[in-house]
Amino acid sequence: MAKRCEVCGKGPQVGNAVSHSHILTKRRWLPNLQSVRVNTNGTVRRMRVCTRCLKGGKVQRAL
């Protein structure tokens, strides 16, 4: 399953891990995704949403 927010599309970022001796190795920063029950057009479904969208109120959580 893709590590991507279904609301804003935020996905993994890539870069380098820098050691003390400045040897560079590739690494990834993954978004903080949560699987939540969301109301969309009157129906309840599960979505993988990043915490920034949850805190920003971009989705309506189902009770």
Side-chain angles (χ1 to χ4, degrees), residues 1-58:
M1 187 179 294
K3 297 185 184 305
R4 191 162 294 275
C5 177
E6 295 184 38
V7 176
C8 66
K10 179 188 285 188
Q13 299 286 316
V14 295
N16 289 316
V18 183
S19 68
H20 180 69
S21 62
H22 205 74
I23 294 173
L24 304 179
T25 55
K26 296 298 272 184
R27 64 157 291 182
R28 296 173 84 197
W29 285 271
L30 300 177
N32 188 359
L33 297 178
Q34 304 294 320
S35 180
V36 294
R37 294 174 69 231
V38 175
N39 274 332
T40 55
N41 299 329
T43 61
V44 176
R45 60 178 285 238
R46 282 205 176 272
M47 293 178 70
R48 290 179 57 147
V49 182
C50 68
T51 53
R52 176 175 265 182
C53 290
L54 285 174
K55 286 171 64 175
K58 294 183 181 178

